[in-house]
Amino acid sequence: MLLAIETSCDDTAACLYDGQAVHAHVVYRQAIHSAYGGVIPEWASREHEVRLPLAVQEALQQGGIGWKDLRAIAVAQGPGLLGSLLVGFTYGRALAAAYKLPFIGVHHLEAHVASLELAPEPITYPLLVLVATGGHTHLFRVQHPLALEVLGRTIDDAIGEAFDKVAASLGLPYPGGPEIERLASQGDPTAYAFPRPHTEKAWDFSFSGLKTAFLYARRQQPGLSVEDLCASWQEAVFSYAVEKLVAAAAAFRIPRVGLVGGVAANARFRTLLQQHAQKAGLTLYLAPLEYCMDNAAMIARAGWHKYLNGLYTPLSAVPFARG
Ligand code: KG4
Ligand code: ZN
């Protein structure tokens, strides 16, 4: 049984995993940031300090096992907020030292990609995966969960960050993605035409122009309901992302695509990609809903691959904010 810990940003999570099944899945989503439009790093670290031991204890209880049953400790090593990462990483390192267990540092984006393998159907590699989170928007060619090649990435805001900023401009709580989705579901996606972003490199992304366009549209079209505006904006963001992912699959001649990360929890995003993938004859893998937003099960799955390959992390290692 492997214990996994995730504290990259504002979610405190612990999981027990044995390579076959998730035996405990605990996520505490910090609510203290909700009124501030984004995560306050110092507060996030302090909340992790308080919550992580409780989350781990709860996971052991859920799994019905004790410390002596653990075989390895996997922890998110980065990228993320350094103070937040330090809490989980140091805690995991201490556990590994105390119980003499292999210690495994996991890359947060590799973990998001590995969340695809938590779905029941087996994955055929290689495939193209879009990681759509609040901190990153990366297009990867994935040969294996531990062999990722970046084909493109956002040159400005991450896709989830754009949702959070648009929501904040409407006075909605953080995280803004689910709030925008809720409003969009009551609006007309064809009410307003947003411009299509352009990037110099074909497989990069840009979302800050769309975010600014939302603010202008709101000011210049006071007659437009906020529901219609959100529906049109969300549709523009997702059709842009989906069409690029599907085009990349054709360009790189890989007939399989995947979608992971917090923004992959959006029902419209999932449906739109399903429709486009089907039309293009692509096999589609979607991260299971409960493993889209940050969680420790995805850390466990990526950590499991490292465990099987003996890819342990020295206890002298440190977390990293970027990379
Ligand atoms: O993967 P995640 O939990 O954390 C990072 O690694 O960043 O992603 C969080 C992001 C936030 O920006 C949040 O607003 C967005 O995912 N998000 C959504 C939805 N649920 C979460 N965006 C759009 N629609 C959603 N339903
Ligand atoms: Zn994440």
Side-chain angles (χ1 to χ4, degrees), residues 108 112 133 294 298:
H108 185 79
H112 271 298
T133 75
D294 284 349
M298 66 184 198

PDB file of all heavy atoms in Angstrom, residues 108 112 133 294 298, ligand 2:
ATOM      1  N   HIS A 108       3.825  17.290 -10.408  1.00  0.00           N
ATOM      2  CA  HIS A 108       2.387  17.535 -10.335  1.00  0.00           C
ATOM      3  C   HIS A 108       1.688  17.335 -11.699  1.00  0.00           C
ATOM      4  O   HIS A 108       0.560  16.825 -11.754  1.00  0.00           O
ATOM      5  CB  HIS A 108       2.156  18.961  -9.811  1.00  0.00           C
ATOM      6  CG  HIS A 108       0.730  19.304  -9.578  1.00  0.00           C
ATOM      7  ND1 HIS A 108       0.036  18.900  -8.462  1.00  0.00           N
ATOM      8  CD2 HIS A 108      -0.159  20.005 -10.329  1.00  0.00           C
ATOM      9  CE1 HIS A 108      -1.204  19.346  -8.540  1.00  0.00           C
ATOM     10  NE2 HIS A 108      -1.354  20.020  -9.665  1.00  0.00           N
ATOM     11  N   HIS A 112      -1.257  14.715 -12.945  1.00  0.00           N
ATOM     12  CA  HIS A 112      -2.524  15.003 -13.639  1.00  0.00           C
ATOM     13  C   HIS A 112      -2.689  14.060 -14.838  1.00  0.00           C
ATOM     14  O   HIS A 112      -3.775  13.514 -15.063  1.00  0.00           O
ATOM     15  CB  HIS A 112      -2.564  16.458 -14.110  1.00  0.00           C
ATOM     16  CG  HIS A 112      -3.118  17.415 -13.085  1.00  0.00           C
ATOM     17  ND1 HIS A 112      -4.416  17.324 -12.611  1.00  0.00           N
ATOM     18  CD2 HIS A 112      -2.567  18.466 -12.434  1.00  0.00           C
ATOM     19  CE1 HIS A 112      -4.637  18.289 -11.720  1.00  0.00           C
ATOM     20  NE2 HIS A 112      -3.528  18.992 -11.586  1.00  0.00           N
ATOM     21  N   THR A 133      -5.395  23.272 -16.064  1.00  0.00           N
ATOM     22  CA  THR A 133      -5.545  23.541 -14.629  1.00  0.00           C
ATOM     23  C   THR A 133      -5.535  25.047 -14.362  1.00  0.00           C
ATOM     24  O   THR A 133      -5.536  25.849 -15.293  1.00  0.00           O
ATOM     25  CB  THR A 133      -4.408  22.885 -13.814  1.00  0.00           C
ATOM     26  OG1 THR A 133      -3.215  23.646 -13.997  1.00  0.00           O
ATOM     27  CG2 THR A 133      -4.159  21.449 -14.222  1.00  0.00           C
ATOM     28  N   ASP A 294      -7.228  18.987  -8.064  1.00  0.00           N
ATOM     29  CA  ASP A 294      -6.087  18.427  -7.352  1.00  0.00           C
ATOM     30  C   ASP A 294      -6.520  17.385  -6.325  1.00  0.00           C
ATOM     31  O   ASP A 294      -7.491  17.592  -5.586  1.00  0.00           O
ATOM     32  CB  ASP A 294      -5.297  19.549  -6.663  1.00  0.00           C
ATOM     33  CG  ASP A 294      -4.472  20.325  -7.669  1.00  0.00           C
ATOM     34  OD1 ASP A 294      -4.353  19.870  -8.820  1.00  0.00           O
ATOM     35  OD2 ASP A 294      -3.956  21.392  -7.300  1.00  0.00           O
ATOM     36  N   MET A 298      -4.073  10.895  -7.962  1.00  0.00           N
ATOM     37  CA  MET A 298      -3.241  11.059  -9.173  1.00  0.00           C
ATOM     38  C   MET A 298      -1.753  11.034  -8.808  1.00  0.00           C
ATOM     39  O   MET A 298      -0.935  10.511  -9.567  1.00  0.00           O
ATOM     40  CB  MET A 298      -3.626  12.343  -9.914  1.00  0.00           C
ATOM     41  CG  MET A 298      -3.322  13.615  -9.168  1.00  0.00           C
ATOM     42  SD  MET A 298      -3.914  15.071 -10.076  1.00  0.00           S
ATOM     43  CE  MET A 298      -2.944  16.369  -9.257  1.00  0.00           C
TER      44      MET A 298
HETATM   45 ZN    ZN B   2      -3.221  20.560 -10.339  1.00  0.00          ZN
END
